[in-house]
Structures are given as structure tokens and as C-alpha cells.
Amino acid sequence: MQHTMKQYNTYIFDLDGTLLDTLDDLAAAVNYALRQYHMPEHTRDEVRQMVGNGVRLLMVRAVPDGDRNPLFEAVFNTFREYYMHHSLDTTRPYDGIPELLGELHHRGSRIAVVSNKFYAATRELCHHFFPDTVEVAIGEHEAEGIRKKPAPDTVMEAFRQLDVEKEDAVYVGDSDVDLQTAHNSGLPCISVLWGFRDRSFLEAHGATTFARKPEEILKE
């Protein structure tokens, strides 16, 4: 990674795998739902490979035969209900994230989160962990007609709610979906290496700018 990283006026962050380590709570909810319907469970690392495209696709990947399974909607609803009550069991910000957001806020940067996690959970987690720094938090189904990532819709909605232009903004995420979202939004992308995907995977999907630790995003 470069020794110098441009400073931006607006930072659009992914949530899971970028700001928050949500993997254990997601895996627990997936396996709880599967258990209720006597379906095979998945390891933490298997769930890691399934996340990143929203919770419905997570469960499509987790349930045998996906959404073709006649029990799929029941399993998915069980997952959603369980996760909403257990999304804070073990979820924590990655080391250095609160300090990163605090320093960006101190510098006057605008901060938003866009996630494919459902809206209520996105808002709850951001309000719980980052009440003083994240100004706008947008999840799945924020409004009618707003498509989830990698469509640019949630990013554009974040700009609208922040009342800023996309010039001098950057997208920060940990997955191929984030790279596609940044590209579709016309934004540069910083790919973080502490999340759910490794460097070789990200490079294969076009990543060129990396942060190994949150403080590297602050380097001038």
C-alpha cells in the first residue's frame, strides 16, 4: 500500500467485515435457523465465504438447494428473527475503527454506512457502536426503488441524506461487492484487509488500494 493516502471529504463505509466483526453472530444465527429445520450446519469459515451480498443470499447459500428448498422462506424468517435479537452478542468494532471514525469526524469529514444488511439491524448497530460519528446508516430496503449493493442506489441515497456531492468522496469496504459498488458509484475504493476477504481475492476482483490497519486510512 502507498505510504500516502489521499484525504477525502466524505467516507462511505461498508459495515460487516469493514467496521464491525459480525461473523460469529451471523454464523450463530445461520446455524440456529438451520438447526430448527434439521438441516446441516456450517463452520465459521464457510459462513465467512457466504456473506457480503445481503442476508437473503447468505441464506440461499446456507440452505440446501437454496431458495428452491420448499422450507427456505421459513428458515430465512427464523434466521432474521433470531439475528435481530442476537446481533450484539459478540459483534464488536475491529481494533482501531472507533479511533479512525473519531479522527475523521474530528477532521470534519462526513461519514455514512451503506450495507446489504436489513435496515433495522444496520441502524441499530451503527447507533449502538458509532452514535457520534456515523451520520447516515442505510440498509437493505431503505426506500421503495432503492436497489441493494452493488447497485449505486444506497450510496447515492447516502449522499442525498448527507447533502453532499460525490466529488471528493471515497468508498471503503472488504469485498468484491464493495469494489463493484464503488465502481458503479463512480468512486475510488479502499479495500481493507482485516475483513471477510483476503488480498489475493480482492486483487483478482480489481482492488488496487489497500489498508492493512484502520490507521492507514488516515495517513497523509
Side-chain angles (χ1 to χ4, degrees):
M1 195 204 73
Q2 311 94 315
H3 289 294
T4 58
M5 187 172 285
K6 173 177 162 57
Q7 296 300 301
Y8 296 90
N9 288 338
T10 304
Y11 289 77
I12 308 293
F13 286 93
D14 172 54
L15 187 60
D16 294 41
T18 300
L19 297 181
L20 295 179
D21 185 356
T22 55
L23 187 56
D24 285 336
D25 286 339
L26 285 168
V30 166
N31 286 328
Y32 173 85
L34 293 172
R35 230 174 8 255
Q36 306 315 301
Y37 295 90
H38 309 290
M39 295 176 179
E41 297 180 37
H42 296 285
T43 66
R44 184 180 189 273
D45 198 56
E46 286 170 343
V47 174
R48 177 194 294 274
Q49 302 307 316
M50 297 175 184
V51 298
N53 299 81
V55 290
R56 186 176 181 87
L57 193 50
L58 166 61
M59 293 309 292
V60 167
R61 293 164 172 165
V63 171
D65 296 323
D67 53 8
R68 297 185 303 277
N69 190 308
L71 292 174
F72 176 79
E73 294 299 336
V75 182
F76 179 54
N77 288 333
T78 300
F79 163 85
R80 282 180 65 116
E81 183 175 351
Y82 183 91
Y83 185 70
M84 282 305 298
H85 288 96
H86 294 273
S87 63
L88 292 172
D89 285 4
T90 64
T91 288
R92 295 289 181 272
Y94 288 101
D95 289 346
I97 287 296
E99 294 81 3
L100 166 65
L101 297 181
E103 179 59 26
L104 291 175
H105 181 71
H106 175 72
R107 294 181 183 185
S109 297
R110 311 297 300 278
I111 301 170
V113 165
V114 295
S115 175
N116 279 344
K117 188 188 292 291
F118 31 90
Y119 179 64
T122 301
R123 288 286 296 268
E124 178 185 351
L125 288 166
C126 287
H127 180 73
H128 180 81
F129 288 111
F130 315 118
D132 301 320
T133 50
V134 172
E135 300 174 69
V136 169
I138 297 172
E140 194 175 0
H141 304 309
E142 159 75 6
E144 191 67 33
I146 292 184
R147 299 165 296 170
K148 70 178 186 177
K149 301 186 296 184
D153 302 28
T154 51
V155 175
M156 296 304 126
E157 177 64 14
F159 289 140
R160 187 189 73 77
Q161 292 189 26
L162 289 170
D163 194 23
V164 299
E165 302 297 324
K166 75 174 185 178
E167 283 66 41
D168 213 24
V170 67
Y171 188 98
V172 184
D174 74 306
S175 73
D176 53 322
V177 174
D178 294 316
L179 286 159
Q180 293 164 21
T181 303
H183 175 78
N184 292 340
S185 304
L187 298 178
C189 186
I190 300 170
S191 295
V192 307
L193 298 179
W194 55 81
F196 297 158
R197 300 288 185 265
D198 62 24
R199 183 174 184 133
S200 61
F201 177 92
L202 293 167
E203 284 180 332
H205 287 84
T208 57
T209 303
F210 300 93
R212 290 168 298 174
K213 300 175 182 178
E215 57 262 34
E216 292 186 351
I217 294 173
L218 294 170
K219 283 187 178 175
E220 301 196 58

